[in-house]
Amino acid sequence: MAEEPSIPLRTTGFRLLHRLSLRLNVPLDQVNFAACQLLALLAAFWFRHYLSPTKVSTVIRHVVVTILGIYFVIFCFGWYSLHVFIEIFLCYCIMTLAKIKNIHKYSFVAALAYLTLCQISRVYIFSYKLLSTDFSGGLLWPLMIITQKITSLAFQLHDGMGRKEEDLTKEQSRVAVRVRPTFLQYCSYHLNFLSILAGPTSNYKDYIAFIEGSHINMKLLEINWKKKGYRTLPDPSPLRAVVQKVAITVVCALLFLSISKKFPISYVSDENFVREASFFSRISYLIISINAVRPKYYFAWTLADAINNAAGYGFNGIDENGNFRWDLISNLNIWNIETATSFKMCLDNWNIQTLFWLKSICYDRLSNYRIPLTLMLSAVWHGVYPGYYFTFITAIPVTMAARTVRRNFRHYFLSSKTKKVAYDIATWATTQLVISYTAAPFLLLAVGPTIRFYKSMYFYGHIVCLLVLLVLPTKLRYHFDQKRERQPDIKPANETLDPQLDEKIK
C-alpha cells in the first residue's frame, strides 16, 4: 500500500532537530517529542539518585521537576506553550479565590472551556489537520492532560474540604485533598517533566507523597513483611520495570516506523478503494489499519510510564507472585487490549488514567444517564473534530448491545472448557470488528470521509446493535438473575441451624 504524502513542516517549537527529522522522514514535531521524552528518561534516573528525598528538600524537588517540565514544553511547542501557563494560572486563581462549594464547578468550566478554545483555534484557524490526541500534533495533548489534573484536583479539594466524610465513597475519601496547594505545589503537579508531554494523569495526593518521599512506604506498609521474612521494609527498585517498558517502546517504535505508514486509515474512505474492493477486503483493511495505529500510542504511553518509574514514581505494592508492581499510573495494558474478548475489556485497558478521570469526576457523580453523559464528556475533552463525536455516539449503543449479548448468552458457554474457548475466540473476533468500526471515524476526523466509510460498511455496526437491543431482553433477565443471586437462603420459621434439633422438632 502506498504511503501517505509526508507532512509539511508545521511546528511552533524549536527546529534544532530539523535535519534529523528530514533524514528519518519523520515530522519534526514527532522528533522533538521523542527527543524530549528520551532526555526525560535520563533526567528521571538522575532525579531519583541525586535528588532523592533523603538528600534534598521537597522544595528543591518541586523546583527541579517544574523547571525541566517548562523547558520541555517550550522546546516542543515554542510560543504556543503560553496556553499551558495561562490555563494553569487562571485555574490557580479560581482555586485560591473560589468558595469550596463551587471550586469544582468553576474549575471544570474554565479548564474545559479554555481547552476547547485552543482546540478550535488549532483545528479551524491554524488548519492543522492533525489528531488532537496525537502526542506530536501540537500542544493539545499536554493541555488535555493539564485539564484532567486541574479538574481532578478541584473535585478532590471539594470532596476533602466541602463534603462530609460519610457522603464520600471509599475511593473519594482516599484521594480527597484537605488543604489547598501552594503555588509551587500546584505548578509542580501540573508542569513536572515526568508527565508534561504525554501524561499520564495521577492523583494529587499520590504525586505529593512521591515528592515528599512517602509514596513507596505508604504502599509497603499495607503488607505484613514480617511474615515474608523481612525485618525491615524492602527498597524496591524500578530498574527491571523500566528496562521492560523501554524494550516495549523500542519494539513499538519500530512497528510504527515500518508498518503504520503503509496502512493509512484514510484509505477506508477512498472512493476508488470502496468502489473496487470487495466487502471482505474493505473489512480486512479496516482491521489492519486500525491495529497499525496502535503502536504509536503504545510507544508514547509506555515510555511515559517508564519515565515516571525511573524517577521512583508509580510503585503499587506487590502482585500475587510476590513481585513488585510498578503500574500505579500505567495508562494501558497491551496484552489485555490485543486479546480483549469484549468491547468493555478493550476500553478498560486503553488510556486507563483517562477512564479513572472520567469515572471520578463524571460517572460516579451522576445518578441518571451515566454512560451517555460520560461518553459525551470524553468527546468534548478529546476535541472538536466531528469524527470524535461519531465515535463516542456510536459507542453508546455498542456498549449497551455488548452488555446485552453477554448477559443473555455467556452463561451457556461456561459448562465446558471447549465451549469457553470457542466463545472466547468468537468474541475476540467480534471485538476486533466492533472496535475497528467504532474507532475509524475518530481517525478520519471529518464528516465526509466518515459517512463514506459508514456507507462502505453498510452501517453494519449500527444495524446489528439496534437489532440486539430490540430483540434481546436487556434489564429484565439481568435484574432477575442479580436478585436471585443476592437473595439469602431463608429457612422455615421452625427450622434451626442444628440438624439434630430440627429432627426432634419434627
Side-chain angles (χ1 to χ4, degrees):
M1 200 65 63
E3 294 187 6
E4 287 183 313
S6 59
I7 300 176
L9 175 62
R10 288 176 174 175
T11 181
T12 54
F14 285 22
R15 303 192 178 190
L16 181 65
L17 302 176
H18 186 210
R19 290 187 178 181
L20 179 61
S21 73
L22 294 176
R23 181 172 299 180
L24 296 175
N25 194 27
V26 175
L28 180 57
D29 281 339
Q30 295 181 11
V31 174
N32 283 349
F33 169 82
C36 284
Q37 286 295 80
L38 291 175
L39 184 59
L41 181 63
L42 298 177
F45 279 113
W46 168 79
F47 182 78
R48 178 173 179 267
H49 287 284
Y50 294 99
L51 296 180
S52 67
T54 59
K55 297 179 180 179
V56 299
S57 67
T58 57
V59 172
I60 293 178
R61 285 168 63 85
H62 278 303
V63 169
V64 170
V65 297
T66 304
I67 291 175
L68 287 175
I70 291 173
Y71 172 76
F72 287 153
V73 77
I74 292 176
F75 184 88
C76 286
F77 309 111
W79 68 266
Y80 205 71
S81 60
L82 184 64
H83 289 294
V84 167
F85 309 129
I86 292 175
E87 181 175 4
I88 290 175
F89 181 74
L90 171 66
C91 291
Y92 178 77
C93 292
I94 293 175
M95 188 204 68
T96 304
L97 301 175
K99 295 181 179 180
I100 283 296
K101 66 177 182 179
N102 295 321
I103 190 172
H104 58 306
K105 299 176 184 177
Y106 296 158
S107 297
F108 177 83
V109 171
L112 205 61
Y114 195 89
L115 172 64
T116 302
L117 288 175
C118 289
Q119 288 169 332
I120 292 172
S121 67
R122 182 75 175 181
V123 173
Y124 295 110
I125 297 178
F126 291 100
S127 298
Y128 278 41
K129 302 301 182 183
L130 298 169
L131 286 169
S132 297
T133 52
D134 193 325
F135 306 97
S136 57
L139 190 68
L140 293 181
W141 182 253
L143 279 174
M144 292 162 72
I145 295 297
I146 288 171
T147 298
Q148 285 187 2
K149 290 184 176 182
I150 288 171
T151 52
S152 294
L153 177 55
F155 274 88
Q156 290 161 9
L157 271 169
H158 173 68
D159 291 341
M161 301 177 65
R163 298 176 64 191
K164 296 179 180 179
E165 185 67 27
E166 56 267 24
D167 295 335
L168 304 178
T169 65
K170 184 177 180 180
E171 180 62 17
Q172 288 172 349
S173 178
R174 186 187 74 82
V175 302
V177 179
R178 314 291 178 181
V179 180
R180 295 180 199 248
T182 65
F183 183 68
L184 178 59
Q185 290 173 330
Y186 195 84
C187 290
S188 174
Y189 175 58
H190 292 94
L191 292 171
N192 69 84
F193 76 94
L194 304 174
S195 61
I196 184 63
L197 295 182
T201 299
S202 61
N203 291 316
Y204 175 78
K205 285 181 69 174
D206 289 335
Y207 175 76
I208 293 299
F210 155 69
I211 291 293
E212 294 176 349
S214 59
H215 160 63
I216 292 178
N217 285 342
M218 287 169 57
K219 294 294 182 181
L220 291 175
L221 290 173
E222 297 175 0
I223 304 163
N224 190 338
W225 291 99
K226 289 185 178 180
K227 290 183 178 181
K228 298 180 179 293
Y230 289 85
R231 294 185 177 180
T232 59
L233 291 178
D235 183 19
S237 171
L239 183 60
R240 181 178 178 181
V242 172
V243 170
Q244 290 176 344
K245 291 173 183 179
V246 170
I248 293 173
T249 61
V250 172
V251 173
C252 292
L254 293 175
L255 288 174
F256 171 67
L257 293 174
S258 60
I259 297 177
S260 297
K261 292 185 178 181
K262 295 181 180 179
F263 299 96
I265 186 64
S266 59
Y267 210 62
V268 300
S269 63
D270 181 79
E271 293 182 357
N272 292 329
F273 176 72
V274 171
R275 183 172 57 252
E276 298 174 2
S278 66
F279 180 66
F280 177 78
S281 298
R282 296 198 297 270
I283 287 183
S284 299
Y285 184 84
L286 170 66
I287 294 175
I288 293 172
S289 62
I290 291 294
N291 281 275
V293 172
R294 292 177 185 169
K296 175 172 64 175
Y297 295 91
Y298 292 167
F299 165 81
W301 283 333
T302 306
L303 180 56
D305 198 14
I307 291 170
N308 282 273
N309 292 168
Y313 188 29
F315 181 70
N316 198 24
I318 61 174
D319 59 21
E320 61 275 6
N321 298 319
N323 299 318
F324 295 123
R325 294 175 54 188
W326 287 88
D327 60 353
L328 178 67
I329 55 175
S330 294
N331 221 9
L332 78 169
N333 186 316
I334 296 176
W335 175 256
N336 287 348
I337 292 171
E338 297 298 333
T339 61
T341 57
S342 69
F343 187 72
K344 181 179 184 299
M345 181 178 175
C346 186
L347 294 184
D348 286 348
N349 291 278
W350 175 271
N351 206 355
I352 296 172
Q353 301 306 319
T354 294
L355 290 181
F356 288 163
W357 172 69
L358 290 169
K359 184 176 184 294
S360 65
I361 74 163
C362 184
Y363 186 88
D364 286 347
R365 299 174 189 270
L366 297 174
S367 55
N368 297 310
Y369 307 108
R370 285 181 165 188
I371 292 178
L373 291 176
T374 302
L375 288 173
M376 289 310 299
L377 171 60
S378 181
V380 172
W381 174 77
H382 275 89
V384 293
Y385 282 117
Y388 298 160
Y389 294 85
F390 278 108
T391 287
F392 288 106
I393 291 174
T394 301
I396 297 173
V398 167
T399 302
M400 297 171 65
R403 286 183 175 181
T404 301
V405 171
R406 180 180 177 87
R407 291 168 181 169
N408 280 273
F409 295 107
R410 185 174 182 270
H411 56 279
Y412 292 118
F413 295 89
L414 301 179
S415 57
S416 70
K417 185 176 181 180
T418 303
K419 290 182 179 179
K420 181 64 167 59
V421 171
Y423 175 83
D424 288 342
I425 293 174
T427 51
W428 174 83
T430 304
T431 300
Q432 293 298 313
L433 285 171
V434 170
I435 291 294
S436 300
Y437 181 87
T438 306
F442 191 94
L443 301 172
L444 292 173
L445 302 178
V447 175
T450 298
I451 298 301
R452 286 197 299 272
F453 162 73
Y454 280 150
K455 288 181 177 179
S456 73
M457 295 290 133
Y458 307 113
F459 293 88
Y460 77 80
H462 294 85
I463 293 173
V464 171
C465 290
L466 182 61
L467 289 176
V468 166
L469 295 174
L470 290 176
V471 174
L472 295 179
T474 54
K475 295 183 178 181
L476 291 178
R477 174 179 297 209
Y478 174 69
H479 287 314
F480 175 78
D481 291 342
Q482 290 292 91
K483 183 177 180 181
R484 185 174 58 185
E485 290 175 4
R486 291 194 300 262
Q487 186 175 1
D489 293 331
I490 302 175
K491 295 182 178 294
N494 64 341
E495 191 170 330
T496 71
L497 297 176
D498 187 345
Q500 294 181 353
L501 182 58
D502 292 340
E503 187 65 24
K504 291 180 181 179
I505 293 174
K506 291 178 181 178

